[in-house]
Amino acid sequence: MYENLDKGLAIYRQKHTKSYYVRLRIDKKEIRRSLSVSDISEAKSLAWRFKFDMEGKKLAGLPILATKELTINQAFQEVIKELDNIKVQKTIYDDYRLVIHNFITPYFKNKTIKDLTSKNIRLYFESLNLSLTRKRINTTCFKKLFQFLEEEEHMKKSELPTLPKVESNKVENREAFYSFGS
């Protein structure tokens, strides 16, 4: 069943489903969506509403089809999931999670993967006062991120930014703690 409602607007129902779908041609794009209703009059009403919403977006200069671009924070959340799924947990993984949550993701906020440049990573490292250990932890976090981005085909190996050569700050050696039996 296929019914034209207006130029570039139609509703239809496929044989294998009871729900109606809308097809809208706008701004040289074709959008198809399920209306998730089986009543034809309700489907028509929802189709018109969808058309007016899309025309409103176009008029306001908003993107009609929102592209879901991966943010740096979303990518790091996937890195954390991978860390969580490793059977044998090492104590260093807690440090990775801490650095990602408390330093890296707040710094990059809602930036997308396109903003993951060598310059932005260098600026991040320069914004911190890092000991050698913290520098290594941060570097490992970024390496894990790069590995994820390459494996999941978000970036090619040739597109991955380089990590900066950053000086670590000398930290004075501290006396070790000794516990005395009680």
Side-chain angles (χ1 to χ4, degrees), residues 14-53:
Q14 296 175 340
K15 291 178 183 172
H16 67 275
T17 181
K18 291 181 180 180
S19 294
Y20 280 92
Y21 291 78
V22 63
R23 193 208 80 226
L24 175 68
R25 287 193 180 122
I26 185 167
D27 202 27
K28 299 178 184 167
K29 294 180 179 102
E30 183 172 299
I31 306 169
R32 295 174 188 242
R33 294 269 156 71
S34 171
L35 296 171
S36 301
V37 294
S38 56
D39 179 58
I40 191 164
S41 60
E42 192 176 354
K44 288 178 182 179
S45 173
L46 288 172
W48 281 105
R49 183 183 308 161
F50 182 70
K51 178 182 171 144
F52 293 137
D53 286 346

Side-chain angles (χ1 to χ4, degrees), residues 100-148:
I100 290 169
H101 282 302
N102 295 346
F103 297 97
I104 299 174
T105 53
Y107 182 85
F108 286 100
K109 291 189 177 117
N110 295 323
K111 293 192 184 311
T112 65
I113 293 302
K114 287 181 182 173
D115 298 315
L116 192 64
T117 61
S118 296
K119 178 183 177 185
N120 286 338
I121 294 171
R122 180 181 51 79
L123 292 172
Y124 163 75
F125 274 95
E126 289 174 355
S127 74
L128 301 171
N129 190 6
L130 296 173
S131 67
L132 183 60
T133 305
R134 281 292 178 172
K135 180 185 148 212
R136 287 180 179 155
I137 290 170
N138 273 276
T139 301
T140 303
C141 289
F142 278 102
K143 285 180 181 177
K144 289 190 175 297
L145 175 68
F146 297 163
Q147 181 182 353
F148 165 77

